[in-house]
Amino acid sequence: MFTGIVTAMGKVAEVQPLGATPAHGLRLHLETPTGYLDDVALGDSIALNGACMTAVEIDAPAARFAIDISAESLARTAGLDRPGPVNLEKALRAHDRLGGHIVSGHVDGVGVVTHFAPVGESWELRIRAPRELGRYLAYKGSITVNGVSLTVNSVADQAEGCEFSINLIPHTVQNTALHVLAPGVPVNLEIDLIARYVERMLTAPATPAQAAIKSAA
C-alpha cells in the first residue's frame, strides 16, 4: 500500500527487453537520489508513477535499482517504457503517516493531459479520464495521477470521457515529475479505493439472507 506522497524523483536510465516478442516485458534500470535505497531490500515494493513494482536488483552505493515490468503492465500504464523522470514512493509501513490517501499502486486507467498552465502562484492541471472512470471522480474527492495524491477541483462529463481539474501548488510541481507534463501526454490514474468498494456494495446482487431481511422490513 502507498499514500500518494512522492518520496523522491527518480529517472529511468536504461530499458532492456526481457525477450524478443511483444509477449515479453522490460527490465527498467532506475537512478535515485543518494541514500534513497539504504533501507530497501530485494523484493520490496516501490511505486513508479503510481504503478507498484518489485525491486529485483539493488545497488545502494550507486543509487540504482531495477524492476521487471510485464507486457500486461506496459499495456495498462503510461510512461514506463522509455527513459525519463518518474515519481517514486516506497511502500507504506504500519507506523507511517497517511499523508495523502490510501493508494494500492494498481493503475485503473490512462488519462490524457488536456491543459497545464500557471494560474497565479499555482498551476492548473486538466486531465481527460476514460468514461468508465468518470463515475468515481467527485468534487473534492481524491485521485492519484502518476503516483501523486491530488484533490479534484471540478468534474465535467463529456462524450469522449470525463475531464477533471486539479490545482497544483508550487511545492508539488517542484518536487514531483508532474512538472514535465504537457497537453497530449498520457498519465496513470488510480481512483479512490473507497469509491471502488462503495460501487461494489451498491451494485452487487443481494444474498438470500440480505433479500430476506429486506422483504421482512
Side-chain angles (χ1 to χ4, degrees), residues 129-153:
R131 288 187 65 185
E132 60 269 21
L133 296 186
R135 63 182 178 273
Y136 302 109
L137 299 171
Y139 174 64
K140 296 305 178 184
S142 296
I143 184 72
T144 306
V145 178
N146 277 359
V148 184
S149 173
L150 298 167
T151 300
V152 176
N153 281 345

Side-chain angles (χ1 to χ4, degrees), residues 119-198:
V119 178
E121 78 287 351
S122 302
W123 289 70
E124 182 188 17
L125 173 63
R126 293 201 296 265
I127 296 169
R128 181 178 297 113
R131 288 187 65 185
E132 60 269 21
L133 296 186
R135 63 182 178 273
Y136 302 109
L137 299 171
Y139 174 64
K140 296 305 178 184
S142 296
I143 184 72
T144 306
V145 178
N146 277 359
V148 184
S149 173
L150 298 167
T151 300
V152 176
N153 281 345
S154 68
V155 179
D157 292 309
Q158 303 170 345
E160 62 273 28
C162 178
E163 187 179 66
F164 63 96
S165 71
I166 293 166
N167 180 73
L168 299 178
I169 63 173
H171 178 86
T172 302
V173 176
Q174 295 163 7
N175 291 279
T176 70
L178 296 182
H179 66 271
V180 302
L181 296 181
V185 173
V187 291
N188 296 319
L189 303 176
E190 182 183 336
I191 60 173
D192 187 2
L193 186 65
I194 295 174
R196 187 182 293 124
Y197 280 109
V198 169

Side-chain angles (χ1 to χ4, degrees), residues 72-132:
E72 170 71 10
S73 293
L74 287 168
R76 297 182 178 276
T77 59
L80 298 180
D81 59 350
R82 64 184 71 91
V86 290
N87 294 316
L88 301 177
E89 183 185 355
K90 300 172 187 176
L92 179 68
R93 294 171 295 189
H95 63 279
D96 284 342
R97 292 178 176 175
L98 188 61
H101 68 284
I102 298 175
V103 176
S104 68
H106 300 153
V107 175
D108 292 302
V110 174
V112 177
V113 175
T114 59
H115 176 84
F116 188 45
V119 178
E121 78 287 351
S122 302
W123 289 70
E124 182 188 17
L125 173 63
R126 293 201 296 265
I127 296 169
R128 181 178 297 113
R131 288 187 65 185
E132 60 269 21

Side-chain angles (χ1 to χ4, degrees), residues 21-91:
T21 73
H24 293 89
L26 301 172
R27 175 161 291 190
L28 307 184
H29 296 267
L30 296 105
E31 299 174 350
T32 74
T34 301
Y36 186 74
L37 299 172
D38 288 351
D39 62 347
V40 176
L42 282 176
D44 280 0
S45 296
I46 298 180
L48 277 63
N49 274 0
C52 179
M53 298 294 165
T54 300
V56 298
E57 291 181 3
I58 297 175
D59 185 348
R64 290 174 64 99
F65 74 102
I67 64 97
D68 290 342
I69 180 169
S70 68
E72 170 71 10
S73 293
L74 287 168
R76 297 182 178 276
T77 59
L80 298 180
D81 59 350
R82 64 184 71 91
V86 290
N87 294 316
L88 301 177
E89 183 185 355
K90 300 172 187 176

